[in-house]
Amino acid sequence: MTLYTLLVVPLGYLLGSISSACIVGRLVGNIDMRTEGDGRISAAAVYRRLGLIPYSVVVLMDMGLGALTIFLARLLTDSLTIILAAGFAEVIGHNWSVFLRFKGGLGATAIGGVLASLGLWQFLFGLAVAGLVLLATRRPGLSTAVCIMVISGIFLIQRMPMILVIYPLMLLVLMFLKHAQVSSAVPA
């Protein structure tokens, strides 16, 4: 194991900690997303406050950071476990950013970037199924969970290594943990 390999996981966390929502909020609308509305720092908050184009930029930036993490990890190591750990750390950084006093988004866009870079067509298929669920239910959280579970199911059908089959579900747990944390912090 090289020194570069040991740096992959902390690098993933730091990349995830870069808040696209805060950057775009500040640059486009001179808004501090940490103090706007319910205080959630997310692409959805950018959409509500600034509209579709800034929202799309945040989604692309968040997904790009997730994909960049996996790309850099693959450059530095051949170990699937370490590559997946770097992606996991990226989502943790997105949800609990060191630069935002351990606040952040729910992780859906970061998870999307990580999973798209691990299996693009599987991600696109999961996204299509999630789109149908969103149209039918109007529940973005449910459609995101369905997307992630579909990707996991495809990896299982493809007989991918079991760690890769379970991995999307582990990322989904991070999203649920963040959602529970945010829900308990919001006054009723």
Side-chain angles (χ1 to χ4, degrees), residues 138-153:
R138 303 278 188 231
R139 297 184 61 200
L142 175 63
S143 64
T144 301
V146 166
C147 177
I148 293 168
M149 290 186 284
V150 165
I151 295 167
S152 184

Side-chain angles (χ1 to χ4, degrees), residues 46-70:
V46 169
Y47 177 75
R48 285 189 297 274
R49 203 61 183 100
L50 298 171
L52 182 61
I53 292 175
Y55 162 81
S56 300
V57 170
V58 170
V59 169
L60 290 174
M61 287 175 67
D62 285 349
M63 288 187 70
L65 289 168
L68 178 62
T69 297
I70 297 300

Side-chain angles (χ1 to χ4, degrees), residues 21-107:
C22 281
I23 292 168
V24 170
R26 184 67 69 190
L27 292 176
V28 173
N30 198 24
I31 296 170
D32 185 351
M33 295 306 296
R34 297 171 297 175
T35 60
E36 285 296 313
D38 61 6
R40 293 184 187 179
I41 306 163
S42 66
V46 169
Y47 177 75
R48 285 189 297 274
R49 203 61 183 100
L50 298 171
L52 182 61
I53 292 175
Y55 162 81
S56 300
V57 170
V58 170
V59 169
L60 290 174
M61 287 175 67
D62 285 349
M63 288 187 70
L65 289 168
L68 178 62
T69 297
I70 297 300
F71 174 77
L72 292 174
R74 283 183 170 153
L75 281 179
L76 298 174
T77 183
D78 291 332
S79 168
L80 179 60
T81 303
I82 293 173
I83 292 167
L84 297 179
F88 195 80
E90 197 275 343
V91 175
I92 290 172
H94 179 87
N95 292 2
W96 296 280
S97 170
V98 67
F99 305 125
L100 299 175
R101 296 184 182 168
F102 302 100
K103 294 182 180 179
L106 292 175

Side-chain angles (χ1 to χ4, degrees), residues 84-85 87-88 114-115 118 162-171:
L84 297 179
F88 195 80
V114 168
L115 292 179
L118 293 171
M162 192 51 65
I163 190 169
L164 193 56
V165 171
I166 295 169
Y167 185 71
L169 303 175
M170 293 167 48
L171 296 176

